[in-house]
């Protein structure tokens, strides 16, 4: 079912540019979805009642959403909160999805005059043509240069690590607790 979703989503969003980009999308989508599922299972085995389990799942999802880089962009995190950005599973999943998809897309993002993106491109006030850059350049700008396509191996490794941790936690809880 997830695979069908990925096909329909990529086709309607115009992201079926290459077989490789589709593969990366499916891989990151699977790893990200699996992390939510595996941690939900782990929390259900960790505590006695479903209310507490639901609360733990809500906290996990909330932390993942907050530190993914969309609610607060990475360059706006400061000191202590920066830690959440680097240990968060969603950050790595979304970095992997965004940068693998935008690598082969030729769509240009037009910078509005006076916007921070416009200034980052060194557009002049009297610029006669439209001032634009690729989606990949815009994504790099949006995330303050902290997200990159070159992190693909790290993205996969962290997501696999989180999934293994959740599976180990589930195994440990099933072995040690008898509710």
């Amino acid at each position: 079912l997830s695979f069908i979703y990925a096909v329909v989503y990529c086709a309607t969003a115009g992201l079926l540019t290459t077989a490789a980009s589709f593969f990366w999308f499916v891989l990151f989508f699977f790893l990200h979805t699996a992390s939510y599922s595996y941690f939900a299972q782990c929390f259900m085995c960790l505590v006695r009642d479903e209310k507490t389990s639901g609360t733990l799942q809500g906290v996990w999802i909330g932390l993942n959403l907050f530190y993914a880089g969309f609610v607060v962009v990475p360059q706006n995190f400061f000191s202590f909160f920066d830690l959440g950005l680097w240990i968060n599973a969603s950050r790595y999943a979304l970095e992997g999805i965004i940068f693998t998809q935008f690598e082969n897309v030729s769509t240009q993002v037009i910078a509005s005059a006076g916007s921070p993106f416009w200034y980052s491109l060194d557009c002049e006030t009297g610029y006669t043509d439209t001032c634009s850059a690729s989606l990949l350049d815009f994504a790099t700008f949006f995330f303050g240069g902290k997200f990159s396509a070159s992190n693909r191996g790290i993205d996969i490794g962290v997501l696999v690590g989180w999934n293994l941790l959740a599976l180990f936690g589930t195994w440990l809880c099933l072995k040690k607790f008898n509710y």
Side-chain angles (χ1 to χ4, degrees):
L1 191 57
S2 294
F3 184 77
I4 293 169
Y5 169 80
V7 170
V8 170
Y9 174 77
C10 287
T12 57
L15 297 175
L16 280 177
T17 54
T18 66
S21 68
F22 180 71
F23 166 79
W24 290 117
F25 179 86
V26 170
L27 177 68
F28 283 111
F29 180 76
F30 168 75
L31 290 172
H32 190 225
T33 305
S35 73
Y36 283 117
S37 298
Y38 294 154
F39 271 98
Q41 290 172 359
C42 182
F43 295 146
M44 289 173 68
C45 296
L46 179 65
V47 295
R48 288 183 187 269
D49 62 307
E50 57 190 67
K51 288 182 182 180
T52 307
S53 174
T55 301
L56 289 172
Q57 292 171 33
V59 169
W60 174 252
I61 291 168
L63 288 172
N64 270 281
L65 293 175
F66 184 75
Y67 285 110
F70 286 108
V71 175
V72 179
V73 290
Q75 62 270 27
N76 291 343
F77 281 107
F78 57 92
S79 64
F80 173 75
F81 291 104
D82 210 25
L83 175 66
L85 179 68
W86 296 110
I87 63 171
N88 182 284
S90 288
R91 172 251 198 262
Y92 294 98
L94 296 175
E95 177 182 38
I97 287 172
I98 289 168
F99 283 91
T100 58
Q101 297 312 297
F102 290 175
E103 281 180 322
N104 299 312
V105 176
S106 60
T107 303
Q108 294 288 302
V109 177
I110 299 172
S112 300
S115 69
F117 185 51
W118 186 77
Y119 286 113
S120 76
L121 296 174
D122 292 330
C123 300
E124 299 175 18
T125 307
Y127 203 76
T128 55
D129 295 335
T130 57
C131 187
S132 63
S134 70
L135 276 172
L136 192 61
D137 291 336
F138 179 74
T140 302
F141 163 78
F142 182 83
F143 293 109
K146 291 191 176 192
F147 288 13
S148 167
S150 64
N151 293 340
R152 189 173 301 159
I154 295 169
D155 297 338
I156 293 169
V158 169
L159 288 168
V160 168
W162 274 116
N163 285 318
L164 291 174
L165 179 66
L167 289 171
F168 176 75
T170 301
W171 172 82
L172 189 64
C173 289
L174 287 171
K175 186 170 178 70
K176 296 291 182 184
F177 302 125
N178 185 8
Y179 297 131

